[in-house]
Amino acid sequence: MKILVIGSTGRTGKHVLAQAIKRGHEITAFARRPELLTERTGLAGVHQGDAHDLETVCKAVHGQDAVIAAVGGSRIASNLIAAMRETGVRRVVMTSSRSVPATRPRIAVTLAWLFFREAYVDLARAEGMLQVSGLDWSIARATMLNDKQPAGRVHIDFEANATGGAMQLSRADYAMALLDTVEDPTLIGKALGISGPT
Ligand SMILES: NC(=O)c1ccc[n+]([C@@H]2O[C@H](COP(=O)([O-])OP(=O)(O)OC[C@H]3O[C@@H](n4cnc5c(N)ncnc54)[C@H](OP(=O)(O)O)[C@@H]3O)[C@@H](O)[C@H]2O)c1
């Protein structure tokens, strides 16, 4: 697939690029700081720009089969939706957080919301926009991310509260899940909760 990756220079995004190239996808990276990608071989292209700028996003989305947003947010979602409608690209997988809909474990969720309320409210807004966009969306709600070695497995469910798995998830495993999701048409219109493997 021809895939545009937003957030490509991030700690998750760099794994998405590497794994996607390995899987044989044609990857274009979207980056505010493309100079961070000079050592990344195998890319089909790089678009320099801010995802808050609609015109740049439109240019980057044009001609792609799918978009993976390895960074979430309502301004990014809003521009992506507009750009995808404009260019006729339909498939999008967007990062969110398990904390957005979660009510359990109660203390952990309460504390997380205390510290990251603004980010979660914005992600909730982004999720809502995507869900009514008419696009072929999937939302990937990650649990707490770390940079540990990948396990090659994740726990996935479709519930507000995790039905299993670990509270910590390596960014490499999360990248794997993002790619598995974009490749799987049965996950269109679904919000996945992604936790670490048990
Ligand atoms: N940390 C957690 O435990 C956790 C849990 C659940 C979900 N998440 C979400 O998972 C996502 C990925 O996390 P991460 O730790 O991999 O993030 P990260 O390392 O901070 O990377 C974020 C990436 O997004 C890019 N970016 C941000 N705003 C942008 C914009 N307006 N236009 C273009 N690029 C932009 C950044 O570019 P620059 O290098 O230019 O800044 C960077 O490449 C985040 O959205 C986070 O909210 C995190």
Side-chain angles (χ1 to χ4, degrees):
M1 291 170 91
K2 287 185 184 175
I3 305 173
L4 179 73
V5 180
I6 315 261
S8 61
T9 57
R11 289 164 292 175
T12 301
K14 69 179 184 189
H15 290 293
V16 174
L17 295 186
Q19 293 180 30
I21 290 166
K22 222 171 173 176
R23 291 185 189 204
H25 294 298
E26 210 174 296
I27 299 301
T28 301
F30 187 95
R32 291 192 289 206
R33 297 181 293 157
E35 64 274 17
L36 297 179
L37 296 170
T38 44
E39 285 176 21
R40 176 67 271 156
T41 55
L43 286 171
V46 176
H47 270 273
Q48 198 272 325
D50 192 312
H52 293 170
D53 176 48
L54 179 57
E55 203 181 314
T56 323
V57 176
C58 258
K59 280 187 192 145
V61 165
H62 182 79
Q64 304 292 336
D65 297 318
V67 179
I68 294 178
V71 56
S74 64
R75 283 182 75 186
I76 294 176
S78 151
N79 278 347
L80 263 182
I81 292 164
M84 291 177 72
R85 283 185 180 146
E86 172 91 21
T87 56
V89 177
R90 296 200 48 79
R91 184 79 177 108
V92 55
V93 177
M94 192 191 73
T95 292
S96 183
S97 167
R98 279 214 89 123
S99 297
V100 168
T103 55
R104 293 195 309 267
R106 199 158 151 233
I107 291 175
V109 171
T110 305
L111 280 176
W113 269 86
L114 204 60
F115 287 107
F116 303 115
R117 168 171 294 277
E118 213 177 307
Y120 294 157
V121 167
D122 190 59
L123 283 175
R125 190 157 178 253
E127 287 196 9
M129 288 174 173
L130 216 56
Q131 283 164 346
V132 296
S133 66
L135 296 171
D136 293 341
W137 59 269
S138 301
I139 293 165
R141 294 175 178 146
T143 187
M144 202 180 292
L145 298 171
N146 66 38
D147 290 314
K148 292 189 179 158
Q149 285 298 309
R153 291 174 296 118
V154 295
H155 166 89
I156 292 180
D157 57 57
F158 302 92
E159 306 297 327
N161 295 310
T163 58
M167 266 183 63
Q168 297 252 344
L169 171 67
S170 88
R171 287 183 170 85
D173 284 334
Y174 182 48
M176 175 190 76
L178 288 170
L179 285 164
D180 289 346
T181 303
V182 83
E183 290 171 358
D184 186 347
T186 67
L187 294 174
I188 288 171
K190 300 216 166 125
L192 295 75
I194 306 174
S195 301
T198 32

